[in-house]
């Protein structure tokens, strides 16, 4: 059954990127790239040159990400910073949906089948569900995650908590409605990240 899941790496002080993130500094200043050290702490590649997790909890999480992800939803800013992933998202080249008010005239073509959604998060989730083939829809940016939570459309939150303090930047949970109750599903502790999974409980 398809679930809508926020899947983000976050610093201990609640940031998913440092200040002034952009094309030149994709994860911002203050060492934002260290949030993803857990991806690269191993010596062997896993399925794609992007991922080199250390065996154990980190490798388990990457394997699960590849197995469970059926589509991703991002905001336009993340799309721009990532250069449209060259048309191929590194997780299986799955379909990617981009929330935007102004779709680009041109974009990279590839196996990820980039779709630009102009009518909101609910529409993006509906469209993603039709191609996810029963796998999960991953919300891979702060803005889509907050929009889905605010609209009551998010089923789970998966946080890869990095032992790093950024001190500023892009927050994941800064503009949310009050009183979102979570149920802890699992904790998987690995080098350079603790992987926390929660169910979003109904009101």
């Amino acid at each position: 059954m398809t679930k809508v899941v926020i899947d983000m790496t976050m610093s201990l002080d609640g940031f998913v990127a440092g200040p002034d993130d952009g094309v030149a500094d994709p994860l911002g200043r203050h060492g934002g790239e260290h949030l993803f050290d857990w991806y690269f702490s191993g010596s062997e590649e896993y399925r794609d040159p992007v991922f080199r997790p250390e065996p154990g909890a980190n490798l388990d999480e990457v394997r699960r990400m590849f197995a469970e992800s059926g589509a991703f939803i991002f905001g336009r800013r993340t799309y721009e910073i990532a250069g449209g992933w060259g048309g191929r998202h590194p997780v299986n080249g799955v379909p990617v949906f981009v929330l935007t008010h102004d779709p680009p005239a041109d974009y990279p073509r590839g196996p990820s089948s980039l779709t630009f959604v102009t009518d909101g998060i609910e529409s993006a989730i509906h469209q993603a569900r039709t191609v996810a083939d029963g796998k999960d829809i991953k919300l891979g940016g702060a803005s889509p995650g907050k929009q889905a939570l605010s609209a009551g459309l998010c089923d789970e939150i998966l946080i890869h908590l990095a032992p790093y303090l950024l001190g500023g930047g892009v927050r994941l949970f800064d503009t949310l409605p009050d009183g979102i109750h979570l149920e802890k599903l699992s904790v998987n502790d690995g080098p350079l990240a603790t992987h926390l999974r929660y169910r979003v409980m109904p009101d």
Side-chain angles (χ1 to χ4, degrees), residues 3 12 149 202:
K3 299 187 298 294
L12 185 60
L149 275 175

Side-chain angles (χ1 to χ4, degrees), residues 108-201:
R109 265 63 173 185
S112 283
S113 178
L114 297 174
T115 301
F116 297 91
V117 181
T118 60
D119 50 350
I121 186 65
E122 186 171 0
S123 175
I125 290 172
H126 175 74
Q127 293 181 58
R129 196 180 299 274
T130 65
V131 300
D133 196 26
K135 294 184 178 182
D136 291 346
I137 299 165
K138 297 295 185 69
L139 305 173
S143 178
K146 287 184 280 193
Q147 290 180 53
L149 275 175
S150 297
L153 300 173
C154 183
D155 299 304
E156 293 184 2
I157 299 174
L158 174 57
I159 297 297
H160 312 284
L161 191 65
Y164 198 79
L165 299 173
L166 276 172
V170 180
R171 286 194 180 275
L172 182 55
F173 300 124
D174 58 340
T175 56
L176 295 175
D178 294 335
I180 297 178
H181 183 208
L182 306 177
E183 177 190 6
K184 184 172 66 177
L185 297 177
S186 65
V187 178
N188 200 5
D189 192 24
L192 304 174
T194 299
H195 311 281
L196 306 164
R197 188 178 293 262
Y198 298 91
R199 178 183 292 117
V200 180
M201 303 298 289

Side-chain angles (χ1 to χ4, degrees), residues 89-108:
H89 191 275
V91 179
N92 289 335
V94 299
V96 172
F97 296 81
V98 180
L99 294 168
T100 181
H101 296 295
D102 184 22
D106 194 20
Y107 56 91

Side-chain angles (χ1 to χ4, degrees), residues 54-70:
E54 187 167 329
N58 293 346
L59 180 57
D60 291 345
E61 290 297 325
V62 170
R63 282 178 171 157
R64 187 170 181 176
M65 177 173 61
F66 272 82
E68 295 182 348
S69 300

